[in-house]
Amino acid sequence: MSAIDMQQKPQKRPDMDDLNPCAACGIRDTAICSVLAPEELTKLEAITRHVDFSQGQTVIDEGEPADFLFNLTQGTMKLYKLLPDGRRQITGFLFEGDFLGIALNEQYAYSAEAIGDVGLCRIPRQNLESMLDEFPHLEKRLLGVVSNELAQAQDQMLLLGRKTAREKVVSFLLSLSRRAADREAEPSPVYLPMSRADIADYLGLTTETVSRTFTNLKRDGNIRLKTGGYVELPDIVALEEIADGA
Amino acid sequence: MSAIDMQQKPQKRPDMDDLNPCAACGIRDTAICSVLAPEELTKLEAITRHVDFSQGQTVIDEGEPADFLFNLTQGTMKLYKLLPDGRRQITGFLFEGDFLGIALNEQYAYSAEAIGDVGLCRIPRQNLESMLDEFPHLEKRLLGVVSNELAQAQDQMLLLGRKTAREKVVSFLLSLSRRAADREAEPSPVYLPMSRADIADYLGLTTETVSRTFTNLKRDGNIRLKTGGYVELPDIVALEEIADGA
DNA sequence: CGGTGCATTGATCAGAATCAATGATCGTGG
DNA sequence: CCACGATCATTGATTCTGATCAATGCACCG
């Protein structure tokens, strides 16, 4: 194995704790920083500041100047867009290591709010852009991140436009399960830090329909609702068939 | 004005027709090529081949190896994803100058089909990737293209998840109108080269509902249906209010 | 222990889907 | 050039999924 292995799983590096916060960062190996060499990391560190937000706080606001980009280091967030009368569409949930705030124009195209308390790495947009010119592999990585988000967005369009309530809820549980597995964790049980209202606004449903669908899935033995927002998925394969209407 | 003006509108360059197909290309100033200097364009040209497809032909197929990228030089296309039972979600329509085939993985994440006859510039993925390393501004441009698509996808999620049939149809007409204006054309009348079924699969509706909604909008004086798939938008501002449920 | 916010369950309603038929348009060949 | 068939769009009748309105239950926290 090479000294720098891009595929390795995240791990703590307690040896450098305070001297080099980035190197000690828990998500250092999954976040965009993972493509940076030590001296480049130092450079990134110089322009980065760590910020915390508590439950329910708005981190970015649709339409505001997009002066910062963020890396979520701890907690969960939701991204959403609003219609004038208050209808809301959640376009995504973010977990540790996810990137936030890429804006094509000068303004953010969506809002972002903390679910529970969160910690973020904040990078001024201007500075990052000059770093991009200097380190093309960072730009390549960014292109990968955005392409990945686009692919997810297309899956979500299929879900919103063509799936039933039951298929939507099951697809949602499976996507959380897969993302947990991508990070580190077990694919089941899945942890749901967000409210029923958030899930509804993500799936294009109402809270009542989400709740009823959970109840039905439980009755049919497809899921088990635990306390503290945990859901067990006893048969992933069976759920995958439900998810695309097979 | 500088000799190379990146903002200029597309125009024919009949003086170079056959010697240098790229320089003569009608979309040369809107497509990704617009950031390339003449000698870079020559390089791109060397790896590019022009291909034609006729009405209804599949240009790329979800799940197939993503060996090529394309630039649509003429005609209209649709991108879509399918569920196993045949339900279809159209994730976007492409017009002249649009880019096609960016794939994160080795496989295309969606299919693409010609609406009417089309012409495309075909670029082998491998070759383009090495060009990206050589010309960072091309990569930057690509990042812009993908970011733009992501922003559109998020708007579409809001539409699919939270808008009514009427709001969906009006939003669709307005987006076509805006894109026509971006290219060159008048914002009204809007040209609809795609079928009602395509519109339905784009908006998460059925053909019947799309048809009824057109009829209602016509009755209320919000649109005028012309022959040949043209739709007049007599009051764009009024339509914009309908589109967001104001 | 009580209160507040969130989740669940129930009854009814509405918007869009489905099922079905008719009408318009376009391409083709006589 | 017109008639025919095929395809696509429109319109109508009915159904059904998920929304809305309303009430109750549950869990967490001071």
Side-chain angles (χ1 to χ4, degrees), chain A residues 87 133 140 162 201 205, chain B residues 133 140 162 167 201 205:
Chain A
R87 278 175 287 172
D133 295 331
K140 190 155 273 178
R162 289 292 177 232
D201 282 348
L205 300 169
Chain B
D133 295 332
K140 191 155 273 181
R162 287 293 176 232
E167 289 162 0
D201 281 349
L205 300 170

Side-chain angles (χ1 to χ4, degrees), chain A residues 11-29 31 33 38 41-51 73 120-121:
Chain A
Q11 50 184 249
K12 294 286 190 299
R13 300 183 177 197
D15 48 313
M16 311 179 71
D17 254 8
D18 288 297
L19 294 170
N20 193 336
C22 273
C25 173
I27 61 159
R28 190 231 167 285
D29 299 296
C33 339
L41 206 58
T42 308
K43 200 150 189 176
L44 181 65
E45 202 163 63
I47 61 172
T48 284
R49 243 198 73 196
H50 187 89
V51 289
T73 56
L120 301 126
C121 247

Side-chain angles (χ1 to χ4, degrees), chain A residues 77-93:
Chain A
M77 300 191 65
K78 57 190 175 197
L79 310 181
Y80 61 92
K81 292 174 80 85
L82 293 174
L83 286 171
D85 63 3
R87 278 175 287 172
R88 184 178 67 156
Q89 179 65 39
I90 292 186
T91 57
F93 294 106

Side-chain angles (χ1 to χ4, degrees), chain B residues 11-244:
Chain B
Q11 51 184 248
K12 295 286 190 299
R13 301 184 176 195
D15 50 312
M16 312 179 72
D17 254 10
D18 287 296
L19 295 169
N20 194 335
C22 273
C25 173
I27 60 159
R28 189 230 167 286
D29 299 296
T30 45
I32 46 154
C33 339
S34 64
V35 292
L36 296 177
E39 77 272 15
E40 295 169 352
L41 205 57
T42 309
K43 200 149 188 175
L44 180 66
E45 202 162 63
I47 61 171
T48 285
R49 242 198 74 195
H50 187 90
V51 290
D52 289 307
F53 289 87
S54 48
Q55 177 169 99
Q57 279 195 293
T58 299
V59 175
I60 69 177
D61 230 331
E62 181 174 353
E64 291 294 302
D67 296 331
F68 297 99
L69 297 104
F70 301 86
N71 226 315
L72 184 57
T73 57
Q74 198 175 81
T76 316
M77 301 191 64
K78 58 190 174 198
L79 309 182
Y80 60 91
K81 293 176 79 87
L82 293 173
L83 286 171
D85 63 4
R87 277 175 288 172
R88 185 178 67 156
Q89 178 65 38
I90 292 186
T91 56
F93 293 107
L94 297 184
F95 300 97
E96 278 184 26
D98 287 338
F99 204 71
L100 166 65
I102 294 174
L104 181 62
N105 308 310
E106 302 301 310
Q107 287 88 35
Y108 295 118
Y110 48 80
S111 304
E113 191 182 310
I115 299 175
D117 299 347
V118 300
L120 301 128
C121 246
R122 194 184 72 184
I123 311 166
R125 178 194 162 116
Q126 292 266 310
N127 299 4
L128 187 71
E129 275 183 6
S130 32
M131 268 194 76
L132 288 184
D133 295 332
E134 220 172 322
F135 309 129
H137 52 300
L138 187 57
E139 182 149 59
K140 191 155 273 181
R141 179 64 201 263
L142 218 51
L143 182 58
V145 167
V146 179
S147 302
N148 196 31
E149 280 184 49
L150 180 60
Q152 275 186 245
Q154 286 163 345
D155 283 340
Q156 192 67 2
M157 285 191 244
L158 177 61
L159 178 148
L160 290 168
R162 287 293 176 232
K163 289 191 181 182
T164 65
R166 168 173 269 241
E167 289 162 0
K168 286 177 176 181
V169 169
V170 171
S171 299
F172 171 65
L173 292 173
L174 285 173
S175 76
L176 287 190
S177 171
R178 288 195 202 102
R179 280 174 80 174
D182 283 348
R183 280 198 302 282
E184 106 230 57
E186 294 299 311
S188 169
V190 163
Y191 176 49
L192 305 181
M194 67 292 287
S195 68
R196 292 289 185 268
D198 286 344
I199 299 172
D201 281 349
Y202 181 60
L203 300 177
L205 300 170
T206 59
T207 56
E208 293 94 329
T209 299
V210 170
S211 193
R212 277 187 250 273
T213 307
F214 272 118
T215 304
N216 292 342
L217 288 167
K218 189 172 67 173
R219 167 176 47 72
D220 300 346
N222 294 116
I223 63 171
R224 278 193 282 273
L225 293 174
K226 302 284 168 182
T227 57
Y230 283 90
V231 182
E232 267 185 48
L233 314 181
D235 186 347
I236 303 260
V237 177
L239 289 174
E240 278 166 347
E241 283 182 3
I242 295 174
D244 306 5

Side-chain angles (χ1 to χ4, degrees), chain A residues 57-70:
Chain A
Q57 279 195 295
T58 299
V59 175
I60 70 177
D61 229 331
E62 181 174 353
E64 291 293 302
D67 296 332
F68 297 100
L69 297 103
F70 300 87

